[in-house]
Amino acid sequence: MDRIRKKYIRGTTHVRCFGDKVREARLRWFGHVQRRDSEHIGRRMLRPRGRPKRRFMDVVKEDMKLVGVREEEAEDRVRWRQMIRCGDP
């Protein structure tokens, strides 16, 4: 029985790799929370309490740098969604 490579399957189903989809979801959630009121529980959760090895905001900032977006750009929802789109072609 021949093996079918993941790359071939993703190409035929038009689905990108799992990491890209996770990055898109993380940035989509960040944009949603960023547009909320500054006293909303989600916004307060972004403030660090303690020091885990890798905080959520550290990962989000790495993702934003990789995609090429800035935190201020999250205010415009439609544009933000277009800029972070990287999951499916």
Side-chain angles (χ1 to χ4, degrees):
M1 181 173 204
D2 292 330
R3 294 176 184 241
I4 300 174
R5 304 262 181 217
K6 287 187 266 183
K7 193 175 188 179
Y8 173 76
I9 293 172
R10 280 196 297 263
T12 57
T13 59
H14 304 293
V15 176
R16 286 234 164 133
C17 77
F18 183 71
D20 291 345
K21 293 185 79 60
V22 170
R23 180 182 314 109
E24 180 182 344
R26 191 168 35 234
L27 289 174
R28 191 173 53 235
W29 184 84
F30 172 76
H32 171 73
V33 172
Q34 193 66 18
R35 287 185 295 274
R36 296 297 303 244
D37 181 35
S38 63
E39 291 304 313
H40 187 266
I41 185 74
R43 288 284 299 266
R44 290 193 317 230
M45 294 292 288
L46 293 178
R47 296 182 206 146
R49 296 187 114 198
R51 182 67 167 112
K53 290 183 181 182
R54 197 162 183 206
R55 298 177 300 189
F56 177 78
M57 279 306 295
D58 295 337
V59 177
V60 168
K61 287 182 181 184
E62 288 173 15
D63 290 343
M64 286 192 296
K65 188 175 181 180
L66 184 70
V67 174
V69 295
R70 293 188 325 259
E71 211 171 308
E72 303 82 37
E73 294 171 324
E75 294 301 321
D76 182 4
R77 181 182 181 273
V78 175
R79 188 160 185 269
W80 178 258
R81 292 289 298 263
Q82 290 171 349
M83 291 187 303
I84 66 168
R85 185 91 176 138
C86 60
D88 293 326

